[in-house]
């Protein structure tokens, strides 16, 4: 292993290695093993931006790009591309240099190779140039089958995941390659919506992997997080149609229309039991957003399934909603989180949409205590029943009515608890001092009211004195 150099020594060594590699491009004076060894040694010095300036020049990027994409040896090409990817990661200004040299097309073409190392390094290079460059990926998507090659690579990965688990689990390179491809897929779907239909071909394979992958603890880590993110923009259309109109909707496959939804919910349930609210703000918000998008185009028979899994059940109403250990209760608490504003908004929106975007159903489902903030911030009218008790007798059949129909018993509209199960509030006896303060307060209020002349009232204290109900204290 090469010595870890720092400062001037590191910079001199990088300059020396780059000089040899640059000369080799013109003179071909290195044997393949020598060239590969030099690139492997160079890679050990590209782990930090400090003292690496020779790599961040136009000549440095050009030298590594030529070895990466103009070499006849795939071993040399892969070693050089790893160095290049690290340079692009460490110094953002090098990405435009790479683009100006015209190499993105060659990187995209390498994704045709059925090789996980090629997939890993070239997907990473293309992902990095989606930031801080002027490069337009439309050419690669239109003329170089970039979307199709991404789809084929994810399809290959999906074959490593079986229902029975009999196949060997993917190795580290497989998982890293999949992660880089998913990151690239997400950015392209985010920045190039015109190509969503082509990119969405990868959705069935992404869903298959997400459903079959072993969930580690904690659950929201790569590649699971990248699988979720990739689906965010692929939940719009499929087969050139809006998903809600598609006959072959990959989110709700005919054999088991609930399988993907149940997996999303299972991951969310695992996450909210494992992470802090601050961690969930970053990690769980995309998953909640995905559930919202999927519910929007879910078939009529799937929507009630999602509602029953994510909204509080009748059995939880023996106490105020949000106090049990269920997923629904945990979501209610997150909807009021002071430290996770994005997640708070996303969870509240999910619960509102699960209530069919109806304010009355929303209040009935979650209680006015949890619903009020969302309704006010979104300028939605507060149902009159939110400030009154209501009977839970119901003849209707929608979910909102079912959730308050608990054997005809009245529900507290603020807490969502069954009225008769509320603890009786003990009436504390007032002290003599408290009685005196209350009497003084009432006396002042009545005097002020009488002074207005609007009504003719007699102060009850004054009236008590006139009637002899006060005894003189000796």
């Amino acid at each position: 292993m090469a010595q870890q150099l720092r400062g001037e020594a590191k910079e001199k060594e990088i300059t020396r290695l780059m000089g040899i590699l640059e000369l080799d491009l013109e003179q071909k004076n290195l044997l393949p093993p020598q060239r590969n060894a030099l690139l492997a040694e160079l890679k050990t010095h590209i782990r930090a931006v400090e003292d690496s300036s020779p790599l961040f020049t136009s000549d440095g990027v050009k030298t590594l790009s030529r070895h990466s994409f103009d070499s006849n040896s795939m071993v040399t090409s892969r070693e050089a591309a790893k160095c290049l990817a690290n340079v692009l990661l460490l110094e953002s200004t090098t990405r435009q240099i790479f683009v100006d040299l015209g190499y993105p097309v060659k990187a995209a073409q390498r994704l045709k190779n059925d090789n996980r190392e090629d997939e890993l390094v070239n997907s990473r290079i293309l992902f990095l140039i989606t930031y801080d460059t002027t490069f337009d990926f439309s050419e690669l998507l239109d003329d170089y089958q970039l979307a199709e090659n991404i789809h084929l690579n994810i399809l290959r990965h999906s074959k490593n995941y079986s229902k029975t688990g009999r196949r060997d689990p993917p190795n580290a390179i497989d998982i890293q390659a999949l992660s880089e491809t998913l990151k690239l897929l997400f950015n392209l779907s985010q920045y190039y919506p015109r190509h969503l239909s082509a990119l969405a071909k990868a959705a069935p394979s992404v869903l298959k992997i997400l459903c079959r992958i072993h969930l580690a603890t904690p659950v929201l880590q790569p590649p699971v997080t990248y699988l979720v993110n990739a689906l965010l923009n692929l939940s719009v259309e499929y087969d050139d149609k809006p998903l809600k109109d598609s006959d072959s909707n990959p989110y709700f496959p005919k054999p088991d229309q609930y399988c993907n939804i149940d997996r999303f919910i299972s991951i969310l349930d695992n996450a909210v039991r494992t992470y802090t609210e601050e961690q969930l703000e970053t990690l769980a918000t995309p998953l909640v957003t995905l559930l919202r998008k999927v519910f929007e185009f879910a078939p009529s028979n799937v929507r009630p399934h999602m509602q029953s899994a994510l909204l509080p059940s009748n059995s939880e109403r023996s106490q105020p909603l949000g106090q049990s250990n269920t997923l629904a209760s945990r979501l209610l608490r997150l909807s009021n989180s002071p430290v996770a504003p994005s997640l708070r908004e996303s969870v509240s929106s999910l619960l509102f949409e699960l209530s069919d975007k109806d304010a009355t159903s929303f209040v009935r489902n979650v209680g006015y205590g949890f619903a009020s903030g969302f309704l006010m911030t979104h300028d939605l009218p507060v149902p009159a029943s939110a400030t009154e008790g209501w009977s839970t007798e119901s003849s209707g059949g929608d979910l909102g009515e079912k959730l308050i129909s608990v054997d005809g018993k009245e529900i507290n509209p603020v807490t969502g608890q069954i009225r008769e199960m509320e603890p009786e509030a003990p009436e504390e006896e007032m002290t003599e001092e408290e009685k005196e303060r209350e009497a003084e307060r009432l006396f002042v209020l009545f005097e002020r009211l009488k002074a207005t002349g609007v009504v003719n009232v007699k102060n009850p204290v004054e009236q008590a004195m006139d009637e002899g109900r006060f005894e003189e204290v000796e």
Side-chain angles (χ1 to χ4, degrees), residues 90-104:
L90 291 175
E91 178 50 65
S92 61
T93 59
T94 60
R95 299 169 196 170
Q96 188 62 49
I97 298 172
F98 175 76
V99 167
D100 293 340
L101 289 169
Y103 281 104

Side-chain angles (χ1 to χ4, degrees), residues 210 215 219 258-273 287 290-291 302-311 327-328 331 350 354:
L210 187 57
L215 297 178
V219 66
Y258 301 151
C259 63
N260 292 317
I261 291 299
D262 287 344
R263 186 62 156 179
F264 299 161
I265 293 172
S266 173
I267 292 171
L268 180 61
D269 189 29
N270 185 309
V272 299
R273 295 173 187 276
L287 180 55
L290 178 60
L291 283 166
V302 176
R303 291 170 73 90
H305 180 76
M306 293 182 68
Q307 290 167 321
S308 64
L310 295 167
L311 290 170
L327 173 59
L331 289 177
L350 172 64
L354 288 167

Side-chain angles (χ1 to χ4, degrees), residues 71-336:
S71 173
N72 293 325
S73 165
M74 289 306 298
V75 176
T76 297
S77 174
R78 287 168 189 147
E79 285 297 326
K82 292 172 187 176
C83 294
L84 177 61
N86 286 351
V87 167
L88 299 180
L89 174 64
L90 291 175
E91 178 50 65
S92 61
T93 59
T94 60
R95 299 169 196 170
Q96 188 62 49
I97 298 172
F98 175 76
V99 167
D100 293 340
L101 289 169
Y103 281 104
V105 169
K106 292 191 174 184
Q109 289 175 319
R110 289 286 171 87
L111 292 183
K112 294 179 181 179
N113 300 344
D114 184 4
N115 181 280
R116 301 290 72 79
E117 282 195 69
D118 285 342
E119 178 190 358
L120 189 164
V121 71
N122 289 289
S123 290
R124 179 175 294 174
I125 288 171
L126 291 172
F127 168 75
L128 288 170
I129 65 170
T130 62
Y131 299 107
D132 304 308
T133 74
T134 59
F135 186 70
D136 186 350
F137 277 80
S138 296
E139 179 186 6
L140 301 184
L141 292 163
D142 287 329
D143 302 330
Y144 292 93
Q145 296 78 51
L146 178 58
E148 179 64 16
N149 290 329
I150 288 173
H151 158 55
L152 291 175
N153 278 326
I154 297 177
L155 178 63
R156 294 182 186 110
H157 284 289
S158 71
K159 294 176 181 178
N160 292 328
Y161 299 87
S162 66
K163 286 183 178 179
T164 60
R166 292 175 182 171
R167 294 178 183 165
D168 292 334
N171 59 37
I173 293 295
D174 290 331
I175 293 173
Q176 290 174 30
L178 173 61
S179 295
E180 295 300 327
T181 298
L182 292 168
K183 287 157 59 180
L184 175 60
L185 174 60
F186 172 76
N187 273 18
L188 293 177
S189 67
Q190 183 78 3
Y191 301 140
Y192 298 89
R194 182 171 68 86
H195 297 275
L196 273 178
S197 184
L199 293 166
K201 291 180 181 179
S205 296
V206 174
L207 288 163
K208 177 182 175 182
I209 296 171
L210 187 57
C211 274
R212 297 182 180 181
I213 193 170
H214 171 72
L215 297 178
T217 302
V219 66
L220 291 177
Q221 57 180 294
V224 170
T225 48
Y226 297 138
L227 289 162
V228 170
N229 289 346
L231 291 169
L232 282 174
N233 295 322
L234 304 186
S235 54
V236 179
E237 58 182 53
Y238 187 70
D239 280 346
D240 296 317
K241 299 180 191 174
L243 270 174
K244 62 182 179 180
D245 300 328
S246 175
D247 297 327
S248 54
N249 190 322
Y251 287 84
F252 311 103
K254 291 289 174 65
D256 181 2
Q257 287 192 300
Y258 301 151
C259 63
N260 292 317
I261 291 299
D262 287 344
R263 186 62 156 179
F264 299 161
I265 293 172
S266 173
I267 292 171
L268 180 61
D269 189 29
N270 185 309
V272 299
R273 295 173 187 276
T274 307
Y275 295 98
T276 65
E277 291 185 8
E278 291 88 347
Q279 292 171 322
L280 289 169
E281 167 76 353
T282 302
L283 295 171
T285 301
L287 180 55
V288 175
T289 302
L290 178 60
L291 283 166
R292 290 176 58 198
K293 290 191 173 188
V294 172
F295 181 74
E296 187 176 349
F297 59 78
S300 57
N301 62 313
V302 176
R303 291 170 73 90
H305 180 76
M306 293 182 68
Q307 290 167 321
S308 64
L310 295 167
L311 290 170
S313 66
N314 290 342
S315 62
E316 295 182 59
R317 295 181 181 272
S318 60
Q319 56 185 329
L321 294 179
Q323 292 191 4
S324 71
N325 232 5
T326 64
L327 173 59
S329 283
R330 290 175 183 273
L331 289 177
L332 285 179
R333 295 197 290 272
L334 287 171
S335 73
N336 274 353

